[in-house]
């Protein structure tokens, strides 16, 4: 069902498995109410899955339920191997920023049609403060569903997933398809800011992974 692969992949997976931690303090710049900063459990717990070919771009899927359709599916601007390297070195913070577009008023009562934060198509991505390109949200493809269905019984873990042939370019050149799955705390700061914090199942401190969505 899930295989370990070669020794090099096992080393990558060990690096992935070493970073399941949860920060207890929210960053000030997220703009959330002060009471959330001291009570992060007020956020909603969701399932987050990071997956991608070792030399291909990594995707981040958010599900309210392990078997539900993703409410957010973003292709990040880094390769899976690059993200693994960042995570193995310690704390990782990913910020996805997009510009707030002031739409013309219209519709009932002259109100502008609001775009949901998860509906923004493109984002400028920063990893630990460094700009690294552009991320994009997209619809869930059959290949994505193959990944999510394969790991739907996994609550916390990492591994190698059998590759499904979707008729696209050969995946052999991009390496094995890796995944990391965990529970995340989703904290809503406003209609223009949300954050996802990886939960540590053991409750211990250490390196962290945080993903922020900001509309500025």
């Amino acid at each position: 069902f899930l295989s370990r692969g070669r020794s090099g992949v096992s080393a990558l997976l060990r690096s992935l498995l070493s970073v399941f931690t949860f920060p207890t303090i929210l960053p000030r710049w997220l703009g959330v109410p002060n009471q959330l900063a001291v009570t992060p459990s007020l956020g909603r717990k969701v399932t987050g899955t990071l997956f991608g070919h070792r030399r291909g771009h990594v995707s981040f899927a958010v599900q309210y339920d392990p078997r539900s359709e993703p409410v957010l599916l973003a292709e990040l601007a880094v390769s899976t191997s690059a993200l693994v390297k960042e995570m193995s070195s310690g704390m990782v913070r990913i910020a996805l920023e997009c510009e707030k577009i002031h739409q013309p008023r219209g519709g009932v009562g002259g109100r502008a049609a609001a775009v949901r934060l998860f509906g923004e198509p493109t984002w400028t991505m920063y990893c630990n403060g460094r700009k690294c390109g552009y991320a994009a949200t997209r619809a869930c493809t059959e290949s994505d569903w193959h990944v999510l269905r394969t790991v739907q019984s996994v609550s916390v873990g990492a591994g190698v997933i059998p590759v499904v042939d979707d008729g696209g370019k050969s995946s052999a050149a991009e390496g094995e398809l890796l995944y990391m799955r965990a529970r995340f705390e989703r904290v809503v700061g406003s209609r223009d800011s949300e954050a996802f914090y990886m939960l540590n199942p053991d409750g211990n401190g250490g390196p962290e992974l945080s993903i922020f969505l900001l509309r500025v």
Side-chain angles (χ1 to χ4, degrees), residues 9-198:
V9 175
S10 298
L12 289 176
L13 299 182
R14 284 196 296 270
S15 297
L16 287 172
L17 289 168
S18 68
V19 296
F20 287 92
T21 58
F22 174 58
T24 57
I25 301 176
L26 301 180
R28 296 178 180 178
W29 55 267
L30 183 59
V32 300
N34 289 335
Q35 61 266 30
L36 287 183
V38 295
T39 318
S41 60
L42 290 177
R44 181 174 184 177
K45 294 176 177 61
V46 297
T47 298
T49 308
L50 290 155
F51 62 94
H53 293 283
R54 185 156 53 93
R55 289 182 292 274
H57 284 187
V58 63
S59 295
F60 177 57
V62 176
Q63 298 166 282
Y64 288 142
D65 179 88
R67 291 172 173 79
S68 65
E69 183 176 356
V71 294
L72 172 66
L73 180 57
E75 184 173 307
L76 305 182
V78 292
S79 67
T80 304
S81 58
L83 183 60
V84 167
K85 183 178 180 180
E86 288 282 349
M87 295 174 75
S88 64
S89 65
M91 179 179 65
V92 174
R93 296 197 178 197
I94 294 174
L96 303 179
E97 294 186 358
C98 69
E99 183 179 357
K100 184 186 297 185
I101 303 298
H102 298 283
Q103 299 179 354
R105 293 185 177 276
V108 180
R111 298 179 60 185
V115 176
R116 294 179 63 252
L117 187 63
F118 290 174
E120 295 288 353
T122 57
W123 308 79
T124 301
M125 178 175 162
Y126 299 85
C127 183
N128 286 343
R130 301 188 303 273
K131 183 177 179 180
C132 53
Y134 296 94
T137 54
R138 55 182 172 81
C140 191
T141 67
E142 182 56 37
S143 295
D144 299 324
W145 273 120
H146 171 71
V147 173
L148 297 177
R149 283 194 297 263
T150 301
V151 302
Q152 67 182 10
S153 62
V154 178
S155 57
V156 175
V160 180
I161 302 173
V163 176
V164 61
D165 184 5
D166 61 359
K169 65 180 180 179
S170 173
S171 61
E174 295 184 334
E176 298 84 355
L177 181 59
L178 308 179
Y179 82 91
M180 181 179 68
R181 191 164 169 91
R183 297 289 284 171
F184 283 75
E185 190 87 6
R186 176 190 176 191
V187 179
V188 179
S190 69
R191 65 188 301 173
D192 297 318
S193 63
E194 295 196 21
F196 297 93
Y197 295 93
M198 183 179 285

